[in-house]
Amino acid sequence: MTTPRFAISQLTTTPWPLTRDLELFAHLNADIELAEMKFDKDAGKLAEQFAQLNAHGLRPVSLQPEVRTIYPATSALEPADPAERTALIKATIDRFAPFCTGIPVITNTGALGQSGNEAEVWEGCIKHYRELADHAADQGLSIAIEPLSPPMMSRDSILYTFMQGYELVQAVARENVGLCLDLYNSWQDADLSNAIRLAGDRIFLTQLSDWQRPRSYFDRRSLGDGIIPVNRLLAAVNETGYDGPYVLEIFSSDVPGALWEDDDALEQAILRSKARFEEAWATGDALANLGI
């Protein structure tokens, strides 16, 4: 069985400069999920950074904007107006599209400041996502909506099951709008495997990390170091015919031994995760050997 392409999110390496990301990702023959925060605002310098990325032979597979929610969220509180936020995401698309067409831009609904009015956020997101999708289509990009976990409800998202994300994708009704499946956020969903199968080709990317009872808001584990039943969930993804990227996204701060405070430990966590991913697929039955 061919091993799917493994990618690393630049959010995993949040404390590192771009140059270190490029060196390690290229050394590991991994693809890259871009984080806008690591790139220069100046158009000329941005082009130079992408020239470095290309020189390292790295392939972008997805993009994390600095403002990634339609309504305010803890990741970005301002501006408050969803129309202004949508405009900022469109501007990000315009900046990056010349260098990486064909990839999904990862987004969410947001929810802060709406007094728990999920219906208002839902209707507003349908409107703004259609506008965003049409703009992205003109630039050769797609939009991936990422359902989050229940603890983030009413602050970062109104989507706290994968099925709710799929329902929003259906409501937006644009071919270039799909889903980001983050196993850390969705693994505890009731009947997630069937939701994955139902979503089918609307899954644009899959994010990987592992879960133990978190000690902070950013406390994710290396692949295989937690209790997510990765084998069963990837089996469901595989059955859909999914051929998109598998992206390692580990957050680790505000806990003893935080990876973001120890460069060597962070690098080892990345190496360990990639090795476990590849060992599983190398057996010819990845889904029986990856995870618990």
Side-chain angles (χ1 to χ4, degrees), residues 186-230:
S186 295
W187 77 277
Q188 296 183 75
D189 286 8
D191 208 18
L192 177 59
S193 293
N194 281 334
I196 290 170
R197 295 183 183 103
L198 181 63
D201 63 3
R202 308 316 295 168
I203 301 174
F204 288 177
L205 74 154
T206 301
Q207 293 178 333
L208 307 171
S209 62
D210 221 328
W211 189 97
Q212 288 284 3
R213 188 165 287 107
R215 299 164 294 170
S216 77
Y217 186 70
F218 285 154
D219 184 24
R220 298 189 178 192
R221 305 301 174 90
S222 303
L223 194 61
D225 286 353
I227 64 172
I228 294 178
V230 181

Side-chain angles (χ1 to χ4, degrees), residues 4 181 183 192-193 196-197 206-208 223 228-242 245-246 276-277 280-281 286-288 290-291:
L181 171 62
L183 296 189
L192 177 59
S193 293
I196 290 170
R197 295 183 183 103
T206 301
Q207 293 178 333
L208 307 171
L223 194 61
I228 294 178
V230 181
N231 52 338
R232 173 170 55 83
L233 298 179
L234 289 188
V237 175
N238 190 56
E239 287 176 16
T240 70
Y242 175 80
Y246 291 87
R276 287 171 175 163
F277 181 79
W281 289 93
L287 311 171
L290 185 63

Side-chain angles (χ1 to χ4, degrees), residues 26-292:
H27 174 70
L28 296 179
N29 192 29
D31 293 330
I32 182 170
E33 178 179 271
L34 307 170
E36 183 180 15
M37 67 181 185
K38 292 204 175 187
F39 289 85
D40 204 283
K41 301 296 184 186
D42 177 80
K45 292 180 180 178
L46 179 65
E48 292 174 2
Q49 289 173 321
F50 269 94
Q52 295 173 32
L53 189 147
N54 293 333
H56 282 81
L58 294 174
R59 182 180 70 170
V61 297
S62 46
L63 170 63
Q64 294 272 6
E66 287 188 288
V67 173
R68 64 180 69 96
T69 62
I70 303 298
Y71 288 83
T74 55
S75 59
L77 297 174
E78 298 294 338
D81 182 359
E84 292 182 42
R85 298 176 71 86
T86 301
L88 288 174
I89 301 172
K90 289 163 68 174
T92 296
I93 289 170
D94 292 343
R95 290 180 61 233
F96 281 82
F99 306 104
C100 50
T101 57
I103 69 172
V105 180
I106 302 170
T107 65
N108 211 303
T109 64
L112 280 175
Q114 305 309 306
S115 301
N117 191 338
E118 292 187 37
E120 178 183 351
V121 174
W122 180 272
E123 292 301 324
C125 282
I126 292 172
K127 170 188 172 183
H128 290 294
Y129 265 123
R130 287 174 176 168
E131 175 187 349
L132 189 61
D134 293 343
H135 185 83
D138 289 342
Q139 300 294 330
L141 297 179
S142 59
I143 302 296
I145 300 173
E146 179 184 358
L148 300 182
S149 58
M152 301 178 189
M153 179 185 174
S154 297
R155 58 176 183 177
D156 288 348
S157 182
I158 61 165
L159 307 175
Y160 48 94
T161 70
F162 193 67
M163 183 59 73
Q164 289 174 345
Y166 180 54
E167 291 170 358
L168 182 57
V169 167
Q170 289 183 302
V172 174
R174 294 292 189 272
E175 285 300 313
N176 68 325
V177 175
L179 290 159
C180 168
L181 171 62
D182 185 325
L183 296 189
Y184 183 91
N185 284 319
S186 295
W187 77 277
Q188 296 183 75
D189 286 8
D191 208 18
L192 177 59
S193 293
N194 281 334
I196 290 170
R197 295 183 183 103
L198 181 63
D201 63 3
R202 308 316 295 168
I203 301 174
F204 288 177
L205 74 154
T206 301
Q207 293 178 333
L208 307 171
S209 62
D210 221 328
W211 189 97
Q212 288 284 3
R213 188 165 287 107
R215 299 164 294 170
S216 77
Y217 186 70
F218 285 154
D219 184 24
R220 298 189 178 192
R221 305 301 174 90
S222 303
L223 194 61
D225 286 353
I227 64 172
I228 294 178
V230 181
N231 52 338
R232 173 170 55 83
L233 298 179
L234 289 188
V237 175
N238 190 56
E239 287 176 16
T240 70
Y242 175 80
D243 62 357
Y246 291 87
V247 180
L248 182 68
E249 184 186 66
I250 299 174
F251 304 139
S252 182
S253 66
D254 302 323
V255 294
L259 298 176
W260 284 357
E261 297 174 4
D262 186 331
D263 287 353
D264 290 338
L266 177 55
E267 182 169 327
Q268 289 304 310
I270 293 169
L271 294 173
R272 188 163 62 252
S273 295
K274 184 173 188 287
R276 287 171 175 163
F277 181 79
E278 292 181 343
E279 286 167 7
W281 289 93
T283 65
D285 185 7
L287 311 171
N289 291 276
L290 185 63
I292 305 307

